Amino acid sequence: MGDHCCPVVANVPVSARYWHMVLEAPPLACAARAGQFFHLKCPAPPGEPAPFFRRPMSVYQARPDRGRVEFLYKVAGHGTRGMAALRPGDSFDILGPLGRGFTLDLAWRRIIVLARGVGLATLAPLAQDAAQLGVGVTAILSARSPEDVLCREVMAEAGARVLAVTDSEGTSDPDKVAALIRAAVARAGAEAIFTCGSNRLLQLSQALARELGLAGEVALEQQMACGLGMCLCCVRAFRGADGEIEHRRVCWEGPVFPLQEALSW
Amino acid sequence: MGDHCCPVVANVPVSARYWHMVLEAPPLACAARAGQFFHLKCPAPPGEPAPFFRRPMSVYQARPDRGRVEFLYKVAGHGTRGMAALRPGDSFDILGPLGRGFTLDLAWRRIIVLARGVGLATLAPLAQDAAQLGVGVTAILSARSPEDVLCREVMAEAGARVLAVTDSEGTSDPDKVAALIRAAVARAGAEAIFTCGSNRLLQLSQALARELGLAGEVALEQQMACGLGMCLCCVRAFRGADGEIEHRRVCWEGPVFPLQEALSW
Amino acid sequence: MVRPDARPPAPAPEGGSLPDAAAVDLSVQLGPMRLANPIMPASGTFSENLARVMDLDRLGAFVAKSIYATPRKGNPTPRVAETREGMLNSIGLPSKGVAHFVAEHLPAYAGLKPPLVVSLSADTVAEFGPAAAEISVPGVGAIEVNISCPNLEADGRAFAQFPDATYAAMSAVRAATSLPIWAKLTPNVADIAAIAQAAEAAGADALVVANTILAMAIDVETRRPRLGNVMGGYSGPAVKPIMLRMAFQCARAVRIPVIGCGGIVTVEDVAEYLIAGCSAVQVGTQTFLEPGAMPRLIDELARWCAARGIGRVRDLVGTVRLDPDPSHAEWLAS
Amino acid sequence: MVRPDARPPAPAPEGGSLPDAAAVDLSVQLGPMRLANPIMPASGTFSENLARVMDLDRLGAFVAKSIYATPRKGNPTPRVAETREGMLNSIGLPSKGVAHFVAEHLPAYAGLKPPLVVSLSADTVAEFGPAAAEISVPGVGAIEVNISCPNLEADGRAFAQFPDATYAAMSAVRAATSLPIWAKLTPNVADIAAIAQAAEAAGADALVVANTILAMAIDVETRRPRLGNVMGGYSGPAVKPIMLRMAFQCARAVRIPVIGCGGIVTVEDVAEYLIAGCSAVQVGTQTFLEPGAMPRLIDELARWCAARGIGRVRDLVGTVRLDPDPSHAEWLAS
Ligand SMILES: Cc1cc2nc3c(=O)[nH]c(=O)nc-3n(C[C@H](O)[C@H](O)[C@H](O)COP(=O)(O)OP(=O)(O)OC[C@H]3O[C@@H](n4cnc5c(N)ncnc54)[C@H](O)[C@@H]3O)c2cc1C
Ligand SMILES: Cc1cc2nc3c(=O)[nH]c(=O)nc-3n(C[C@H](O)[C@H](O)[C@H](O)COP(=O)(O)OP(=O)(O)OC[C@H]3O[C@@H](n4cnc5c(N)ncnc54)[C@H](O)[C@@H]3O)c2cc1C
Ligand SMILES: Cc1cc2nc3c(=O)[nH]c(=O)nc-3n(C[C@H](O)[C@H](O)[C@H](O)COP(=O)(O)O)c2cc1C
Ligand SMILES: Cc1cc2nc3c(=O)[nH]c(=O)nc-3n(C[C@H](O)[C@H](O)[C@H](O)COP(=O)(O)O)c2cc1C
Ligand code: FES
Ligand code: FES
């Protein structure tokens, strides 16, 4: 762990709003686990100063065999605009891997991964790990429209059962997604659910997990300064063991937390 | 007058420490006079932030016929490092022409220009103007060593009598330079002396001009923020008409001042 | 110029079409004065020389370099130093006196539309009144009282570092002139709201928040201070978050208008000061780097408002939302 | 990192050969303490977690995040915002209390060489004494008294905004412990030297100059403050010229050592604080951007000294040259 300047191998748009970056980083590729993140020193976008803080980004793919670390990202603002300006051969200063990743119970028959947008970037490596370890995966991928569905191929290649739901087709509302989850549990024997990012998906996952007795985890986001548990800026609220509300650091105790302990917001 | 983004045509080192930059700037090339300066928004040198202030730089050549403005500069620090990083085709934001240039009396038979280092950049266009207007020029070019002598060709081409004096050859000390000046006055009929920058050359020129009854001007340097006479940071001390010491702005009342009014420092 | 944290504009108001930038009403009210727009120069960073690069009639107002009643010299050079995102200056308020200003500079503003604001400094409270009376001549639209300059009766500390000295200096000026008077505050204080209230109580028509922050830099090779005067005033983008906080505090502490000043570069910076509660803003250091900064900001402000369906710039003033964000409710409750 | 105004080193001392970086004596004296080098973290920007990226034994000292005697929650999110050359924070000093610190954090420092400095806050003067006594346990090398936190008896203003509250808080700590005590001052004052003198009079062994500057930023699209707590503390390169000025003023006003803090990024920044009169420095925000900043600065400081023929870092302290520059003589005379 530490900060490393890695050469950019590829950095290309994969849809209107999402980009895919591949870095050469052999030692990091071995160290990074699903759910962990890197803290990126984004360069100055053309005509703008460089952003002051680093930017957190999930490990999308870390392939020890190819010595590469990959990110899937949305160009959201100042920092990600700078990221998108990087060209192959440029060097990118990334700090990590950081944080606590997902935990998989090898006794599970099947898990559900439920995500929307770049949340998929966080869950894709979990699906791959599960499939490789013999745990079945049902991936519910939510998006605005069919063109926006990310990671369909990656998930399918890993052996996941892929269910895409979209706003434009009217298949993404909570009731319909709940029905898919119930079916995955009842018919395919899913025993845990993993989600990330959005408040809506968290609430839905918590409710169904409680109802259906599923285990599960959630990967949360919060603005970060240090990424190393020192500054206390990245806290979120959790229900502690004693029922008290407590603050935990997304960068240090997380970004992955027990599903039922995270408070929705 | 105003700030203009001009394309860089050429930017090359001309010796170990000096660079020559050519910009395409047709309207400015017509407007700029010998002794005036531009205020340059130097870009960030590689690996450093951009300097905060603009940097003043004399018009070295402004050729209306070719629509070009040229600078001859020493890489001294942060800003000039940034200048040296500009490549042909890059755009360079320059504000000017600014300040008050040299005044030539067409009745003079001959003038002496005396300068050292990049001071020559300031005096070269004066020599050219003089030669073109039928005033003879004796150019005394001082430098550390013969390789360091700048503008020898430009001066010679313009028709100046060029005398190079150098530290390494032991020809540049005040006594020897004074002898050259006396000779130019006595034998070639020089009636005015122009100098710039260094305190030593100023003192020498003032003393000889007083002794020999020469007219003359000096171009001074001082750190600048606005370049437009507003901030009052670029002042130097002068002996006013009433004998009182007063402060004048190098960017606004100068950078060229009557030789005997400037106080050495 | 793109600001690091620039965001896309909010969506257009439902059902309405966006106003044209040319149709945006940029005028603002500053106590008794109406300005065509909220953009004006900061004292000491402007002179009529700027006419060489811009149409002076476009500005909301002119603010001249601070003058003293009687002539005085400035500080030793170097008078400025640059830092990463700002500059230090110790010009030291050289001045040729009020009479010289009236004779030599005032005529340059005759016939121009924006009001001329004269910035006035003095060494002691007693000197402020007569100087204010002397400068209250036709052609002067308001007096900005630079109480952030050193008070020789208080060991060189600024009038505006103390509520009582602020009150005394502003009262002296108030008694001596019927022109609108603005108090220019110093940020080198623990509690700027208390100073703002003292200026208001003494009859100030507006506050300018604020002058430069006392700072220092050393050349590590020569081990000399980078300014001839050892310490100097810090300005430019680096100071903006501090000045914005102070402008916000003042705007909430007084009923008179506040003019924000410090670090303005982008149109978002202007909007930020207005939203924080300022009725107008002053632009200083950026003019040194970009002489056309003020006209650019005026154009951009009209476009910025138009793109957001804001028809009148003055409707932005003080609209900062301090209600708890719903997403913070958990914290506020706990 | 190259600093904008970096200059080439001065020529080597006549006749002597340059010392090797490894031979430079980096140690400094801080009142009763001797530190192996002058580089230490700033409170709130460090924890034992940093062991994941560096060898903690290399630091001059450890300074922990401020703790209160009893547990308390922090501020609402967002707790940080970035600016052009700095950051704002309103973390709000969440703390699990002294007992939790002793049980959970202290053990991590056992066996490490640099002294551990505990930063202590309190809501009232009365709370400081007992808390200082409670934290005076083996393993703690000094107490940094964070008197820049809000004093609930003074309407939330900081102890260090007033000489009398400074004196009272530091005296309470002095009476309760025999450990070295440092006073961490706030820059949100008009006259920091007066505060420095009050802390010295109360028995402080050193001063830390200074904490963050109160500042603000507003999101112009949502019109909400960028910090959940509306205002927060400004740190990073942008504040350095202000902090350096205050450190210089304090160093000249007291006899106890001053520790400079604010905006350090480069080795020249470290040298600047030392030359201004600081015996050591604290590095904060830069560690967030570059976790290895402190060990880098230690290495660079040794090389920087070596290249200039400086054999002992402590010989730099307070060597700023305030004698008039010959080139300024004309001004000083006139
Ligand atoms: C652990 C973790 C993993 C993440 N993984 C991914 C990923 O794989 N792909 C992806 O596209 N995005 C991911 N994000 C979100 C990503 O960090 C933000 O989109 C990014 O920081 C936005 O920066 P910006 O400068 O473009 O936007 P700006 O809006 O300019 O950012 C301003 C500030 O807000 C912060 N910020 C803005 N949005 C977020 C956010 N959603 N989460 C945290 N901080 C934010 C920025 O870091 C910065 O400090 C992740 C966030 C976290 C915390
Ligand atoms: C009217 C005028 C004309 C000039 N013409 C030329 C020229 O034709 N060729 C040339 O090489 N140089 C010329 N100079 C000097 C040139 O401006 C400086 O070399 C340059 O500013 C150094 O900047 P830097 O960032 O590289 O150095 P740094 O040392 O990093 O500069 C730090 C600060 O000091 C200022 N500064 C440093 N040296 C000088 C100086 N000698 N004069 C004024 N300000 C200075 C810089 O502008 C900057 O604000 C001229 C100066 C003036 C005033
Ligand atoms: C070179 C310079 C000279 C200044 N002179 C004055 C002055 O004479 N009177 C005054 O009230 N403020 C003076 N100021 C302060 C500015 O008016 C303004 O308050 C400050 O620079 C902050 O604004 P900015 O960050 O936009 O520059 C001066 C500032 C600079 C940089
Ligand atoms: C996120 C953050 C948290 C901080 N927490 C504390 C704290 O708990 N106690 C304290 O005395 N100072 C605290 N500070 C102030 C720093 O110790 C330091 O004084 C300040 O950041 C200036 O140094 P810098 O510019 O190097 O960051 C904090 C600063 C930051 C940025
Ligand atoms: S980002 Fe600093 S504690 Fe999490
Ligand atoms: S540089 Fe501003 S007055 Fe000359």
Side-chain angles (χ1 to χ4, degrees):
Chain A
M1 225 272 319
D3 58 329
H4 299 266
C5 283
C6 304
V8 175
V9 175
N11 188 27
V12 291
V14 293
S15 78
R17 300 177 308 140
Y18 300 107
W19 284 61
H20 179 202
M21 177 181 283
V22 181
L23 298 176
E24 197 173 305
L28 307 181
C30 296
R33 300 280 165 267
Q36 286 193 300
F37 70 98
F38 283 88
H39 213 23
L40 315 179
K41 198 159 176 54
C42 302
E48 293 177 71
F52 192 73
F53 288 148
R54 287 176 178 264
R55 300 293 193 258
M57 209 57 80
S58 293
V59 175
Y60 167 50
Q61 302 280 302
R63 308 199 182 182
D65 52 331
R66 296 205 223 147
R68 293 182 168 179
V69 168
E70 305 181 21
F71 302 110
L72 183 69
Y73 64 101
K74 184 163 96 182
V75 176
H78 188 190
T80 46
R81 269 200 302 279
M83 255 181 103
L86 283 167
R87 298 280 158 266
D90 288 351
S91 163
F92 194 24
D93 173 353
I94 71 175
L95 169 70
L98 299 172
R100 189 184 149 279
F102 294 105
T103 23
L104 264 180
D105 184 337
L106 296 186
W108 289 329
R109 264 179 300 162
R110 175 168 290 270
I111 62 170
I112 300 166
V113 304
L114 168 62
R116 190 176 163 94
V118 286
L120 267 315
T122 311
L123 290 169
L126 171 70
Q128 291 175 314
D129 285 355
Q132 217 170 354
L133 295 166
V135 177
V137 177
T138 298
I140 306 178
L141 316 184
S142 171
R144 281 201 210 159
S145 65
E147 308 85 71
D148 269 346
V149 177
L150 290 172
C151 301
R152 203 195 283 262
E153 292 75 25
V154 173
M155 293 287 195
E157 267 170 40
R161 176 144 188 258
V162 177
L163 306 170
V165 298
T166 67
D167 306 350
S168 67
E169 298 167 308
T171 50
S172 65
D173 55 69
D175 287 355
K176 297 203 173 113
V177 172
L180 294 178
I181 294 172
R182 285 202 180 84
V185 173
R187 291 196 229 137
E191 293 174 275
I193 183 163
F194 293 84
T195 188
C196 109
S198 111
N199 201 25
R200 225 185 49 160
L201 297 184
L202 172 61
Q203 286 171 330
L204 180 69
S205 304
Q206 286 179 329
L208 284 161
R210 252 193 309 270
E211 178 194 320
L212 303 169
L214 303 177
E217 289 178 323
V218 58
L220 293 177
E221 296 186 358
Q222 181 61 288
Q223 189 185 22
M224 294 183 182
C226 73
L228 284 166
M230 304 189 296
C231 75
L232 312 186
C233 81
C234 65
V235 293
R236 286 204 166 268
F238 294 84
R239 179 83 51 199
D242 50 4
E244 279 264 303
I245 292 177
E246 61 178 39
H247 303 161
R248 298 187 200 154
R249 292 161 292 185
V250 170
C251 76
W252 193 255
E253 282 89 17
V256 175
F257 295 94
L259 182 63
Q260 300 295 357
E261 293 178 17
L263 290 185
S264 54
W265 57 96
Chain B
M1 226 273 317
D3 57 328
H4 299 265
C5 282
C6 304
V8 174
V9 175
N11 189 26
V12 291
V14 292
S15 77
R17 300 177 306 141
Y18 299 107
W19 285 61
H20 178 203
M21 176 181 285
V22 181
L23 298 176
E24 198 174 305
L28 306 182
C30 296
R33 300 278 164 270
Q36 286 193 301
F37 69 98
F38 284 88
H39 213 23
L40 315 179
K41 198 158 176 54
C42 302
E48 293 176 70
F52 192 72
F53 288 147
R54 287 174 178 266
R55 300 293 193 259
M57 210 57 82
S58 292
V59 176
Y60 167 50
Q61 302 280 302
R63 310 198 180 182
D65 52 330
R66 297 205 222 146
R68 293 181 168 179
V69 168
E70 305 181 23
F71 301 110
L72 183 70
Y73 63 101
K74 184 163 95 182
V75 176
H78 188 190
T80 45
R81 270 201 302 279
M83 258 182 100
L86 283 167
R87 297 281 158 265
D90 287 352
S91 164
F92 193 24
D93 174 353
I94 70 174
L95 169 69
L98 298 172
R100 191 185 147 280
F102 293 105
T103 23
L104 264 181
D105 184 337
L106 296 187
W108 287 330
R109 263 178 301 163
R110 175 168 291 271
I111 63 171
I112 300 166
V113 304
L114 167 63
R116 190 175 163 94
V118 285
L120 269 313
T122 310
L123 290 168
L126 171 69
Q128 291 176 312
D129 285 355
Q132 216 169 354
L133 296 166
V135 177
V137 177
T138 299
I140 306 177
L141 315 184
S142 170
R144 279 200 212 161
S145 65
E147 309 85 72
D148 268 346
V149 177
L150 289 172
C151 301
R152 202 196 285 261
E153 292 75 24
V154 174
M155 293 287 194
E157 268 170 38
R161 173 142 191 262
V162 176
L163 307 169
V165 298
T166 67
D167 306 351
S168 67
E169 298 165 310
T171 50
S172 65
D173 55 69
D175 287 355
K176 297 203 173 113
V177 173
L180 295 178
I181 293 172
R182 285 204 179 86
V185 173
R187 289 193 230 140
E191 293 173 274
I193 182 163
F194 292 84
T195 187
C196 107
S198 110
N199 202 25
R200 226 186 47 161
L201 297 185
L202 172 61
Q203 286 170 330
L204 181 67
S205 304
Q206 286 179 328
L208 283 163
R210 252 193 309 269
E211 178 195 320
L212 305 169
L214 302 177
E217 288 179 323
V218 58
L220 293 178
E221 296 185 0
Q222 180 62 288
Q223 190 184 22
M224 294 184 182
C226 74
L228 284 166
M230 303 189 298
C231 74
L232 313 186
C233 81
C234 64
V235 294
R236 286 203 167 270
F238 294 84
R239 179 84 51 198
D242 51 2
E244 279 265 302
I245 291 177
E246 61 178 40
H247 304 159
R248 297 187 201 155
R249 293 161 291 185
V250 171
C251 76
W252 193 256
E253 282 89 17
V256 175
F257 294 94
L259 182 64
Q260 299 296 356
E261 293 177 18
L263 290 185
S264 54
W265 57 96
Chain C
M1 295 263 166
V2 183
R3 185 194 149 112
D5 42 17
R7 301 269 172 101
E14 299 270 334
S17 64
L18 291 177
D20 181 8
V24 172
D25 177 358
L26 293 174
S27 70
V28 294
Q29 192 71 32
L30 262 189
M33 299 165 82
R34 183 90 172 182
L35 306 187
N37 68 64
I39 311 284
M40 67 182 96
S43 177
T45 66
F46 171 80
S47 83
E48 58 274 20
N49 300 350
L50 216 52
R52 282 180 64 174
V53 284
M54 60 174 281
D55 173 6
L56 295 182
D57 267 345
R58 299 210 53 207
L59 297 177
F62 306 124
V63 184
K65 169 89 185 158
S66 296
I67 52 174
Y68 278 81
T70 48
R72 35 180 281 147
K73 296 201 181 269
N75 284 329
T77 56
R79 287 179 168 188
V80 293
E82 62 182 357
T83 67
R84 260 168 81 149
E85 281 286 338
M87 65 176 282
L88 308 183
N89 89 78
S90 62
I91 305 295
L93 298 181
S95 164
K96 297 196 174 155
V98 168
H100 177 267
F101 181 86
V102 171
E104 300 296 323
H105 294 271
L106 204 53
Y109 296 93
L112 291 173
K113 275 184 278 175
L116 173 64
V117 182
V118 172
S119 171
L120 191 69
S121 299
D123 284 336
T124 61
V125 166
E127 284 169 29
F128 264 117
E134 194 184 350
I135 197 66
S136 298
V137 295
V140 174
I143 300 175
E144 181 176 292
V145 192
N146 181 4
I147 51 174
S148 16
C149 57
N151 174 1
L152 292 191
E153 288 160 339
D155 205 15
R157 268 167 279 188
F159 299 93
Q161 285 184 304
F162 307 95
D164 52 352
T166 297
Y167 184 86
M170 293 306 295
S171 298
V173 174
R174 179 70 297 162
T177 186
S178 57
L179 287 173
I181 61 173
W182 302 353
K184 177 134 179 207
L185 307 189
T186 171
N188 301 306
V189 295
D191 180 4
I192 195 144
I195 309 292
Q197 286 166 341
E200 179 180 44
D205 295 289
L207 304 176
V208 182
V209 182
N211 215 309
T212 52
I213 305 182
L214 195 64
M216 182 175 178
I218 297 172
D219 180 319
V220 293
E221 301 302 342
T222 65
R223 301 195 194 170
R224 285 185 200 285
R226 288 186 184 272
L227 293 177
N229 199 40
V230 183
M231 296 183 263
Y234 192 24
S235 62
V239 306
K240 197 198 66 179
I242 303 170
M243 299 302 193
L244 184 84
R245 180 266 294 183
M246 292 196 174
F248 168 81
Q249 290 179 314
C250 289
R252 294 170 71 80
V254 298
R255 266 179 297 250
I256 52 176
V258 171
I259 301 164
C261 177
I264 290 177
V265 177
T266 68
V267 67
E268 285 83 7
D269 295 332
V270 173
E272 207 175 352
Y273 274 106
L274 298 178
I275 292 168
C278 297
S279 301
V281 297
Q282 296 186 343
V283 179
T285 303
Q286 184 62 18
T287 296
F288 297 165
L289 313 182
E290 180 199 358
M294 287 184 285
R296 169 179 62 78
L297 288 170
I298 295 166
D299 292 340
E300 289 180 354
L301 185 60
R303 286 201 298 272
W304 191 90
C305 288
R308 284 156 188 80
I310 299 162
R312 303 191 312 183
V313 158
R314 60 185 174 281
D315 291 345
L316 278 172
V317 176
T319 56
V320 57
R321 293 174 58 184
L322 299 175
D323 51 300
D325 184 327
S327 81
H328 295 161
E330 71 194 32
W331 302 104
L332 294 169
S334 76
Chain D
M1 298 262 167
V2 184
R3 185 194 150 113
D5 44 16
R7 303 267 172 100
E14 299 270 333
S17 63
L18 290 176
D20 181 8
V24 172
D25 176 357
L26 293 173
S27 69
V28 294
Q29 192 72 32
L30 263 187
M33 299 165 82
R34 183 90 173 181
L35 307 187
N37 67 66
I39 311 283
M40 66 181 96
S43 176
T45 65
F46 172 80
S47 83
E48 59 273 21
N49 301 349
L50 217 51
R52 283 180 62 176
V53 283
M54 59 175 281
D55 173 5
L56 296 183
D57 267 344
R58 297 211 53 208
L59 298 176
F62 307 124
V63 184
K65 168 90 186 158
S66 295
I67 53 173
Y68 278 80
T70 49
R72 35 180 281 148
K73 297 203 181 268
N75 284 329
T77 56
R79 287 179 168 188
V80 293
E82 60 181 359
T83 67
R84 261 167 80 148
E85 281 288 337
M87 66 176 282
L88 307 183
N89 90 78
S90 62
I91 305 297
L93 298 180
S95 164
K96 296 195 175 153
V98 168
H100 178 266
F101 181 85
V102 171
E104 300 295 325
H105 294 271
L106 204 51
Y109 297 93
L112 291 173
K113 275 184 276 172
L116 173 64
V117 181
V118 172
S119 171
L120 191 68
S121 300
D123 284 335
T124 61
V125 166
E127 283 170 30
F128 264 118
E134 194 184 350
I135 197 63
S136 297
V137 296
V140 174
I143 299 176
E144 181 176 291
V145 192
N146 181 3
I147 50 175
S148 19
C149 57
N151 173 1
L152 292 191
E153 288 160 338
D155 204 17
R157 267 168 279 188
F159 299 94
Q161 287 184 302
F162 307 95
D164 52 352
T166 298
Y167 184 85
M170 292 306 296
S171 297
V173 175
R174 179 70 297 161
T177 185
S178 57
L179 286 174
I181 61 174
W182 302 353
K184 177 132 177 209
L185 306 190
T186 171
N188 301 305
V189 295
D191 181 4
I192 196 145
I195 310 292
Q197 286 166 343
E200 179 181 43
D205 295 289
L207 304 176
V208 182
V209 183
N211 214 308
T212 52
I213 304 183
L214 194 64
M216 182 176 180
I218 297 173
D219 181 319
V220 293
E221 300 302 343
T222 64
R223 301 196 193 168
R224 285 185 200 286
R226 287 186 185 273
L227 293 177
N229 198 41
V230 183
M231 295 183 264
Y234 191 25
S235 63
V239 306
K240 197 198 67 180
I242 304 170
M243 300 302 195
L244 184 84
R245 179 266 294 182
M246 292 195 173
F248 168 81
Q249 289 179 315
C250 289
R252 294 171 70 80
V254 299
R255 266 179 296 250
I256 52 177
V258 171
I259 301 163
C261 176
I264 290 175
V265 176
T266 67
V267 67
E268 285 84 7
D269 295 333
V270 174
E272 208 175 351
Y273 274 106
L274 299 178
I275 292 168
C278 297
S279 302
V281 296
Q282 296 186 344
V283 179
T285 304
Q286 184 61 17
T287 296
F288 297 166
L289 313 183
E290 180 198 0
M294 287 185 286
R296 169 181 61 79
L297 288 170
I298 295 166
D299 291 340
E300 289 180 354
L301 185 59
R303 285 201 298 272
W304 190 90
C305 288
R308 285 155 186 80
I310 299 161
R312 303 190 312 184
V313 158
R314 61 184 175 282
D315 290 344
L316 278 171
V317 176
T319 55
V320 57
R321 292 175 58 185
L322 299 175
D323 52 299
D325 184 326
S327 80
H328 294 159
E330 72 195 31
W331 303 103
L332 293 169
S334 76

